[in-house]
Structure formats: C-alpha cells, structure tokens
C-alpha cells in the first residue's frame, strides 16, 4: 500500500517570534515580497521594521486587496519580479496566506499567521476566489511552505472568536481522519502536483497522521477553555500555546495527511443558505462534526464529550447557532445534495452516504444540540 506524509520544512512558534522573520528571509536572499493588507501590516509595522534592520533585509509591501483572486495573484507576482524578490511572506489571515502561496507557486515561502482561526498555514493548497469573493477553485502546490512562523503574542491579541473558530476546525480533524482510515481513503498528502502528475498514483494515510489527529483532539479537550480565557485577557499561557499548536500545526498536518470527510462536506452544503455566511469556517465545521458523529452512530459518550466541549468554549451545536432559525425541506434537500455531490469528501466515510441520510443527520444534530443547550 502506498502511503504519504507531508509537512512544512520548518514550524516555529513562540512569543515575539516575528522579530526573527528577517533571519528566515535571509536564508533565501535579502528581499521579500510581503503579502499583507494595509491594516494587517500597520498592526505589526514596528516589528517588521526592527527585524528588517536587524537582519539587513528589505520587505516589499503590497497593500493586499483582501481577496485571493487570479487578478490579485498576477498583480503581486509582477510586483515581486519588478523588485527582484527572493521569497514571499504571507502575513495575516487565510486569504493573505493563500495568496502568498499562489504568488510563490513552489518557490521560497514563509507564512506568518496573525490568528489561529484555521489550519491553512501549514498546507500545500490554497482556495482561489473571483474578485467578488465567489469560490473558483482549489490549487495544489509542489511543496508545503518552507517556514511557518507563529508569534503567540500576536495570536493572544487577536479576537477570541477567531481562536475558538480555529478550535471548531481542529475538532473535526480526528473524526474525519478516523473515517478516512476506516475506509482506506486517499489523502491530500498523496495528491500529485506539477510534472508527471498523471503517472503518480494516490496514497493513503500513515499511522503518524492518525497519532497527530488524535493528539489534536486530546489537546482541544484539555486546553481549549483555558486557552480561550487566556486570549480574553490577551496573555500567553501554556494552554494558549497548546491550542495555537493544535489549531495550526496538528490540525494542518492532520487534515492533509489524515483526510477530510463528512464534517467539511456538510459545511460546504451549508453554503447553500445565506444565514451561515456571517459565521466563520470553523464554527460551521463544528456543527458539521456533530452531524458526522450522528451519521456514523458514534457512541453516546463520544457525542456527549464533543457537544459539551462546544458549549464550554462557545462553538455552535445547533442550526440556530449558525444563524438558521428556520430551514425549509427544499433548502435542507439542497444542503444535503451539495454535501453529497460527486467528488465530495463525504464519500470518504466507511459506508455509502446518500442525501436523505445527510438531511436526517442534520435535523437530528440540531435537535440534539438544542436539547443539550436547554439542559446546560
């Protein structure tokens, strides 16, 4: 059996780490394209100037428009070429990070997340949108980022809701990897990119991937609430450090090497209705995880643990929590159909999944979540 495991070349996390950014840039040259929004750059400008001066490097700013679109990617690539940049630095949230990946396109890349809301920093894929923000395609690269640099001081000062949303995304990691392992599904780590892709067979997950996915889940349960409390105080504690690692590194390695399944597919289905659009990715994935557990008839104790964790840290457990107060039969059917579309990750579950089953588990998850909330 062919198996695969991929990672960034280096992951560094700690207080004040942004001051060392110039050191990592220096490994590739002395000029870096800085993909960051005007407001994102302003937030850390003083530190960027200090690290540039200390390590004698130059950051070429970009005034990133906020959308990972083909037009913006082309504009920034041209800026990098005009300024003779030796590497690309993606600083900010998910879209700045993904844009930097696209601009670099396999060339030297440093990722500096300013929140722990997703597992995008470590991965070798990006999501591209139109200029108007409509999903267009997934793009895969020949390798993961060269460096992922996480400054926990910056994370501690980011909005608490972003940290909690990251926990929601990370919550699905173990359960989706487990279902992929049971079904012997292909994983992202085996996806071929670039030359020779037609000749490259897919790959399955490793035991290492499952161990990391399980550690991700265990870390959420042990440190989630205390990390949230630390973020509310804008302070770095061991629990916050552990959750930043779980949200960013463990979840990132877990989803690429362990695989995705029903939780993320149900999230995709929820995009069919407008109400959840105001909610973060991880918030919707958390509800999708509850749906997945009901779909696979997980043990009551496991479902109880997951729902109680969500209530403890403030993640959604029912449709109303993601803005859906009423759901017509037609909309429910549409959500389920999208979740079960051809090529959807839901087909990595270890049994056939049909739209009717998804619709039923969404309704059951909603009722279960509302019941737990009423008893809280």
């Amino acid at each position: 059996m062919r198996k695969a495991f991929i990672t960034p070349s280096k992951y560094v996390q700690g207080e004040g780490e942004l001051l060392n950014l110039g050191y990592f840039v220096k490994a590739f040259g002395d000029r870096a394209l800085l993909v960051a929004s005007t407001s994102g750059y302003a937030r850390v400008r003083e530190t960027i100037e200090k690290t540039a001066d200390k390590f004698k490097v130059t950051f070429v700013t970009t005034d990133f428009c906020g959308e990972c679109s083909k037009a913006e990617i082309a504009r920034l690539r041209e800026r990098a070429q005009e300024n003779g940049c030796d590497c690309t630095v993606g600083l900010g949230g998910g879209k700045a990070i993904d844009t930097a990946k696209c601009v670099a396109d396999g060339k030297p890349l440093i990722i500096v997340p300013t929140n722990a809301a997703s597992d995008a920093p470590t991965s070798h894929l990006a999501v591209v949108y139109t200029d108007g923000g409509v999903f267009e395609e997934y793009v895969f690269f020949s390798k993961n980022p060269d460096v992922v640099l996480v400054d926990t001081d910056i994370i501690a000062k980011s909005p608490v809701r972003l940290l909690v949303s990251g926990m929601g995304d990370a919550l699905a990691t173990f359960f989706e990897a487990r279902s992929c392992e049971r079904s012997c599904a292909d994983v992202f780590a085996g996806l071929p990119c670039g030359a020779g892709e037609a000749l490259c067979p897919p790959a399955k997950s490793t035991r290492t991937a499952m161990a990391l996915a399980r550690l991700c889940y265990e870390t959420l349960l042990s440190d989630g609430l205390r990390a949230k409390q630390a973020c509310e105080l804008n302070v770095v504690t061991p629990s916050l450090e552990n959750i930043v690692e779980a949200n960013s590194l463990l979840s990132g390695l877990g989803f690429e090497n362990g695989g995705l399944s029903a939780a993320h597919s149900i999230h995709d289905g929820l995009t069919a209705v407008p109400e959840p659009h105001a909610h973060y990715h991880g918030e919707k994935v958390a509800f999708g995880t509850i749906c997945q557990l009901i779909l696979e008839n997980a043990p009551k104790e496991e479902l109880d643990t997951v729902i109680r964790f969500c209530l403890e840290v403030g993640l959604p457990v029912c449709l109303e929590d993601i803005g859906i107060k009423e759901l017509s039969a037609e909309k429910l059917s549409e959500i389920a159909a999208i979740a079960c579309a051809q090529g959807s990750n839901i087909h990595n579950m270890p049994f056939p999944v049909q739209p009717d089953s998804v619709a039923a588990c969404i309704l059951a998850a909603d009722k279960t979540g509302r019941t737990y909330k009423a008893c809280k």
Side-chain angles (χ1 to χ4, degrees), residues 291-327:
C291 294
Q292 175 175 326
L293 292 176
I294 289 178
L295 180 66
E296 64 188 19
N297 199 29
K300 181 181 181 302
E301 296 77 12
E302 189 170 76
L303 181 62
D304 180 81
T305 298
V306 167
I307 294 178
R308 293 191 183 282
F309 168 77
C310 289
L311 290 172
E312 183 177 63
V313 299
L315 285 166
V317 298
C318 62
L319 290 172
E320 185 176 19
D321 290 346
I322 53 173
I324 303 175
K325 295 183 179 180
E326 293 184 15
L327 187 62

Side-chain angles (χ1 to χ4, degrees), residues 10 25 33 66 71 109 124 185 202 266 271 273 303 305 324:
K10 186 181 290 288
V25 170
L33 185 78
L109 173 66
H124 80 310
I266 291 170
T271 63
V273 291
L303 181 62
T305 298
I324 303 175

